[in-house]
Amino acid sequence: MPAPLPEKAPVPEEVEQAPQEEAPALEEPESAAGTGAMGAVVAGLVNSAAKEGVGTGLGVASGGEAVDVKQVSRPPTVLQQVLPQYPRPARSQGIEGLVLVRIIIGIDGRVEPESLRIIRSVPELDAAALAAVRQWRFSPALGRHGRLVRVIVDIPVQFSLK
């Protein structure tokens, strides 16, 4: 059964850049449950989000600024993803949930580290989601004029103990 798409996040008037944080070291990391299926689900959600219009709602900005995923002719696709490591304290407390991470994918297909921003938080899981998504690699997005563009994408990271 396919996972439902996350609800559209509220749109800020301006793009805020969260201060860059170092992810805290996780004690004896364990992979998030359902890692095999999770990879396919997350990759599908990124591509599905582009098709369904789930994104930031931010308009096109000129001068090489990032555009919304809905405004590109070819959205990015996941080439390499790092699955999150379930933090041991969260696992032992039975904490589950969805962390929604907003990123900007550069024209080289890499996540721009300063762009990472939590849109939907589960505080005990946020650092693990950020640490994983920071390492993802994508095919670059192609703009409507045939040029590579920076693109804003929301990545849902589901943590489940089942």
Side-chain angles (χ1 to χ4, degrees), residues 21-34:
E21 302 173 4
E22 285 297 316
L26 304 175
E27 298 177 40
E28 296 181 27
E30 299 177 32
S31 293

Side-chain angles (χ1 to χ4, degrees), residues 21-137:
E21 302 173 4
E22 285 297 316
L26 304 175
E27 298 177 40
E28 296 181 27
E30 299 177 32
S31 293
T35 53
M38 184 175 164
V41 168
V42 172
L45 284 174
V46 170
N47 295 328
S48 202
K51 291 177 189 167
E52 298 293 326
V54 173
T56 63
L58 298 173
V60 175
S62 61
E65 293 200 19
V67 299
D68 187 271
V69 72
K70 295 182 292 184
Q71 298 172 309
V72 298
S73 62
R74 186 188 72 204
T77 57
V78 178
L79 299 176
Q80 175 188 358
Q81 75 182 67
V82 174
L83 296 175
Q85 301 297 309
Y86 219 121
R88 179 173 255 186
R91 182 181 289 276
S92 66
Q93 294 173 27
I95 297 171
E96 298 180 312
L98 177 83
V99 177
L100 189 60
V101 181
R102 181 165 293 164
I103 62 171
I104 295 177
I105 301 168
I107 61 170
D108 61 356
R110 294 182 182 271
V111 175
E112 296 181 1
E114 65 281 355
S115 73
L116 287 147
R117 182 169 167 225
I118 297 291
I119 301 300
R120 185 171 176 185
S121 177
V122 178
E124 298 84 357
L125 303 172
D126 290 352
L130 288 172
V133 172
R134 179 178 281 121
Q135 300 175 67
W136 286 28
R137 300 292 178 264

